[in-house]
Amino acid sequence: GGSGLHLLDGRTGESLQVLPGDTYGYTHDGACSPDGKRVMSATGYRGVRVWEIEGSGPPRVLIPPPSSPQGPEVWSCAWSPDGKLIAAAKTDRSLEIYDLETGALLGRVTGTSGFFCDWSDDGSWMLTAGSEVEIWDTGRICNPLNAPHSVGPFAAIGYSPDGSGVATVADHYTIRVWIANPPKLTATLHSPPKYYIHAPFYSPDGERIATTGGGGVWNLPTGELVFPNPDACCRDPFAI
């Protein structure tokens, strides 16, 4: 709709605030800044917009709409851990990094496998995902690493507590565990038949992985499924 950007309570779904501004078009993704003062939206063909959460004025257009209706849409956006950079994944399978304050385009890669992007906790690498999962060195974004990939369509990811690894779900029955930089596959975990996996989560000590939707809990050092659970909940199993 065009009534502004709605901020909701994640626990109750209650509307907390409406930030003013033109939001016509689909909002495919959104994210709060690390300091909690700003929020941005990936609004398809209308580009990326940044709001001040305090609600002062209209949003800033960081990435403008394409010059033609057939131009690429922005489907995913992500803040760098220090809040100074923004990444955007587009439907032309490109990944772009912008300076938040100046709006300058700092780096761009093409030929990614999909429309999803996210930063590692330390900001040293980025992940893109679609038909495959790829890892990029942000220090040399125009010269990608030899990117790991998952067989089958990408479904979900989870990051290790120390930021050094990532778990990917590809076909809803297989979890692949990677060292991120440089990329290396360290384990492949299989769900029992008909245990449909939605998303993976690391335990706080990084020694186990649990899944939502189905699957259970795996011991990472051994790869053993220690607690099968076909009816896991829809949130982080390790969250309090």
PDB file of all heavy atoms in Angstrom, residues 13-14 34 44-45 71 107 114 143 153-154 228 233:
ATOM      1  N   GLY A  13       2.412  -9.019  17.122  1.00  0.00           N
ATOM      2  CA  GLY A  13       1.920  -8.583  15.829  1.00  0.00           C
ATOM      3  C   GLY A  13       1.247  -7.223  15.866  1.00  0.00           C
ATOM      4  O   GLY A  13       0.765  -6.722  14.855  1.00  0.00           O
ATOM      5  N   GLU A  14       1.239  -6.581  17.038  1.00  0.00           N
ATOM      6  CA  GLU A  14       0.590  -5.279  17.195  1.00  0.00           C
ATOM      7  C   GLU A  14       1.380  -4.189  16.470  1.00  0.00           C
ATOM      8  O   GLU A  14       2.608  -4.176  16.479  1.00  0.00           O
ATOM      9  CB  GLU A  14       0.503  -4.933  18.685  1.00  0.00           C
ATOM     10  CG  GLU A  14      -0.091  -3.561  18.974  1.00  0.00           C
ATOM     11  CD  GLU A  14      -0.017  -3.198  20.445  1.00  0.00           C
ATOM     12  OE1 GLU A  14       0.498  -4.024  21.230  1.00  0.00           O
ATOM     13  OE2 GLU A  14      -0.475  -2.107  20.798  1.00  0.00           O
ATOM     14  N   PRO A  34      21.808  -1.628  12.963  1.00  0.00           N
ATOM     15  CA  PRO A  34      22.370  -2.187  14.199  1.00  0.00           C
ATOM     16  C   PRO A  34      22.148  -1.312  15.427  1.00  0.00           C
ATOM     17  O   PRO A  34      22.026  -1.832  16.540  1.00  0.00           O
ATOM     18  CB  PRO A  34      23.867  -2.311  13.871  1.00  0.00           C
ATOM     19  CG  PRO A  34      23.899  -2.486  12.391  1.00  0.00           C
ATOM     20  CD  PRO A  34      22.806  -1.610  11.868  1.00  0.00           C
ATOM     21  N   GLY A  44      11.026  -3.622  -4.158  1.00  0.00           N
ATOM     22  CA  GLY A  44      10.907  -4.040  -5.538  1.00  0.00           C
ATOM     23  C   GLY A  44      11.445  -3.019  -6.516  1.00  0.00           C
ATOM     24  O   GLY A  44      12.573  -2.547  -6.420  1.00  0.00           O
ATOM     25  N   TYR A  45      10.607  -2.640  -7.460  1.00  0.00           N
ATOM     26  CA  TYR A  45      11.040  -1.710  -8.509  1.00  0.00           C
ATOM     27  C   TYR A  45      11.207  -0.286  -7.999  1.00  0.00           C
ATOM     28  O   TYR A  45      11.692   0.592  -8.720  1.00  0.00           O
ATOM     29  CB  TYR A  45      10.052  -1.742  -9.681  1.00  0.00           C
ATOM     30  CG  TYR A  45       8.671  -1.221  -9.352  1.00  0.00           C
ATOM     31  CD1 TYR A  45       8.368   0.138  -9.477  1.00  0.00           C
ATOM     32  CD2 TYR A  45       7.667  -2.080  -8.925  1.00  0.00           C
ATOM     33  CE1 TYR A  45       7.107   0.611  -9.159  1.00  0.00           C
ATOM     34  CE2 TYR A  45       6.409  -1.605  -8.617  1.00  0.00           C
ATOM     35  CZ  TYR A  45       6.129  -0.259  -8.749  1.00  0.00           C
ATOM     36  OH  TYR A  45       4.879   0.197  -8.439  1.00  0.00           O
ATOM     37  N   GLY A  71      13.372  -2.616 -15.641  1.00  0.00           N
ATOM     38  CA  GLY A  71      14.623  -2.659 -14.902  1.00  0.00           C
ATOM     39  C   GLY A  71      14.565  -3.620 -13.728  1.00  0.00           C
ATOM     40  O   GLY A  71      13.490  -4.068 -13.320  1.00  0.00           O
ATOM     41  N   GLY A 107      30.735  -1.292  -4.586  1.00  0.00           N
ATOM     42  CA  GLY A 107      31.108  -2.552  -5.211  1.00  0.00           C
ATOM     43  C   GLY A 107      29.896  -3.229  -5.812  1.00  0.00           C
ATOM     44  O   GLY A 107      28.759  -3.012  -5.372  1.00  0.00           O
ATOM     45  N   GLY A 114      20.810 -15.921  -6.826  1.00  0.00           N
ATOM     46  CA  GLY A 114      19.468 -15.617  -6.331  1.00  0.00           C
ATOM     47  C   GLY A 114      19.337 -14.216  -5.808  1.00  0.00           C
ATOM     48  O   GLY A 114      20.203 -13.363  -6.014  1.00  0.00           O
ATOM     49  N   ASN A 143      35.887  -9.507  -6.898  1.00  0.00           N
ATOM     50  CA  ASN A 143      36.632 -10.727  -7.195  1.00  0.00           C
ATOM     51  C   ASN A 143      36.180 -11.811  -6.217  1.00  0.00           C
ATOM     52  O   ASN A 143      36.807 -12.033  -5.191  1.00  0.00           O
ATOM     53  CB  ASN A 143      38.141 -10.500  -7.060  1.00  0.00           C
ATOM     54  CG  ASN A 143      38.640  -9.468  -8.037  1.00  0.00           C
ATOM     55  OD1 ASN A 143      38.738  -9.735  -9.223  1.00  0.00           O
ATOM     56  ND2 ASN A 143      38.925  -8.276  -7.538  1.00  0.00           N
ATOM     57  N   PRO A 153      17.195 -26.248  -4.464  1.00  0.00           N
ATOM     58  CA  PRO A 153      16.830 -24.865  -4.157  1.00  0.00           C
ATOM     59  C   PRO A 153      17.191 -24.476  -2.736  1.00  0.00           C
ATOM     60  O   PRO A 153      17.075 -25.256  -1.812  1.00  0.00           O
ATOM     61  CB  PRO A 153      15.311 -24.842  -4.361  1.00  0.00           C
ATOM     62  CG  PRO A 153      14.893 -26.268  -4.149  1.00  0.00           C
ATOM     63  CD  PRO A 153      16.022 -27.102  -4.676  1.00  0.00           C
ATOM     64  N   PHE A 154      17.642 -23.236  -2.580  1.00  0.00           N
ATOM     65  CA  PHE A 154      17.947 -22.689  -1.255  1.00  0.00           C
ATOM     66  C   PHE A 154      16.670 -22.523  -0.452  1.00  0.00           C
ATOM     67  O   PHE A 154      15.646 -22.086  -0.963  1.00  0.00           O
ATOM     68  CB  PHE A 154      18.637 -21.340  -1.426  1.00  0.00           C
ATOM     69  CG  PHE A 154      18.595 -20.474  -0.206  1.00  0.00           C
ATOM     70  CD1 PHE A 154      19.441 -20.725   0.855  1.00  0.00           C
ATOM     71  CD2 PHE A 154      17.690 -19.425  -0.121  1.00  0.00           C
ATOM     72  CE1 PHE A 154      19.410 -19.929   1.982  1.00  0.00           C
ATOM     73  CE2 PHE A 154      17.658 -18.618   0.992  1.00  0.00           C
ATOM     74  CZ  PHE A 154      18.511 -18.868   2.042  1.00  0.00           C
ATOM     75  N   PRO A 228      15.481 -36.654  17.558  1.00  0.00           N
ATOM     76  CA  PRO A 228      14.572 -36.489  16.428  1.00  0.00           C
ATOM     77  C   PRO A 228      13.268 -35.837  16.879  1.00  0.00           C
ATOM     78  O   PRO A 228      12.751 -36.135  17.965  1.00  0.00           O
ATOM     79  CB  PRO A 228      14.326 -37.926  15.948  1.00  0.00           C
ATOM     80  CG  PRO A 228      15.292 -38.781  16.683  1.00  0.00           C
ATOM     81  CD  PRO A 228      15.700 -38.057  17.912  1.00  0.00           C
ATOM     82  N   CYS A 233       9.030 -26.497  16.727  1.00  0.00           N
ATOM     83  CA  CYS A 233       8.312 -25.221  16.705  1.00  0.00           C
ATOM     84  C   CYS A 233       8.812 -24.340  15.571  1.00  0.00           C
ATOM     85  O   CYS A 233       9.696 -24.695  14.811  1.00  0.00           O
ATOM     86  CB  CYS A 233       8.497 -24.498  18.037  1.00  0.00           C
ATOM     87  SG  CYS A 233      10.212 -24.102  18.404  1.00  0.00           S
TER      88      CYS A 233
END
